[in-house]
Amino acid sequence: MDGFLAALTISFAVIFVAELGDKSQLMALTFATRFKPVPVLIGITVATGVVHAVSVGIGYGLGATLPTGWISLVAGIAFLAFGAWTLRGDKLTDDEKTKAERTTGSAIWAVGGAFFLAELGDKTMLATITLATQHGWFGTWLGSTVGMVAADALAILVGRMLGRHLPEKFIKYGAAALFAIFGIWLIVEAIIELR
């Protein structure tokens, strides 16, 4: 059970932090101004569960076939890149914002479809792949899915209560710092193992 809890906790924390200030969090806010929060969260949960299942499958397969020292090194470098990506920031394009505002039909289908497409190739998908190379697949999938849904729920709650976004600079720098810490940690582990 220790492996499961470690995978769950680490995946939750990394993905929750990675999602803060991400464009999908901005999409969640936009959808929440048009639809009720519960259908928005259901759509986010379904889309996230599917995308992260694919991510975990890819990562777990890579982890089973590649030497762990090299995986740690590549994962560490990837996490440093995720930190830089976080500093760059994400914004909704005018087209993405317009689509989110004009969507008709079932809120769950609209939100789920938009989130599924937005998350393909996003840093949270890549981070989940990276985490799955080193941790159990189920704990990583569950932790990453719950972490992302929790971060988006927080955006919806705060956005609805305060009518504005979380302090963007604080979130951006904090998330980038956490990615850098994880990245350096993984690189040090890899260097020790590869010696």
Side-chain angles (χ1 to χ4, degrees):
M1 196 63 154
D2 286 334
F4 169 77
L5 289 177
L8 178 73
T9 304
I10 291 168
S11 297
F12 175 87
V14 168
I15 300 304
F16 181 86
V17 169
E19 186 65 8
L20 296 177
D22 192 65
K23 73 177 177 180
S24 43
Q25 204 177 36
L26 300 175
M27 285 175 58
L29 274 169
T30 303
F31 277 121
T33 62
R34 181 167 168 81
F35 302 116
K36 292 182 180 182
V38 172
V40 171
L41 284 174
I42 291 170
I44 290 169
T45 303
V46 170
T48 301
V50 172
V51 170
H52 288 193
V54 170
S55 304
V56 165
I58 292 168
Y60 192 72
L62 288 174
T65 59
L66 299 175
T68 57
W70 288 105
I71 290 173
S72 291
L73 183 62
V74 170
I77 293 168
F79 272 69
L80 291 176
F82 297 151
W85 187 346
T86 300
L87 285 176
R88 183 196 66 160
D90 270 341
K91 298 211 183 310
L92 285 178
T93 65
D94 290 336
D95 187 43
E96 290 170 327
K97 190 171 183 175
T98 301
K99 283 180 186 175
E101 290 170 348
R102 279 199 263 161
T103 301
T104 57
S106 169
I108 294 171
W109 284 106
V111 173
F115 268 81
F116 179 80
L117 294 174
E119 287 305 307
L120 292 177
D122 193 49
K123 70 182 173 213
T124 51
M125 181 182 185
L126 299 174
T128 302
I129 290 170
T130 304
L131 289 164
T133 63
Q134 298 187 349
H135 301 287
W137 70 269
F138 185 68
T140 300
W141 173 78
L142 186 60
S144 64
T145 301
V146 173
M148 186 166 167
V149 172
D152 290 338
L154 177 65
I156 292 168
L157 179 67
V158 170
R160 290 176 72 87
M161 288 176 61
L162 302 179
R164 55 190 164 111
H165 301 296
L166 294 167
E168 193 171 327
K169 280 187 178 182
F170 174 77
I171 292 167
K172 185 185 292 188
Y173 292 129
L178 286 172
F179 270 122
I181 289 166
F182 277 116
I184 291 167
W185 179 15
L186 287 168
I187 290 170
V188 169
E189 277 185 354
I191 291 169
I192 290 169
E193 187 173 329
L194 292 172
R195 280 201 280 160

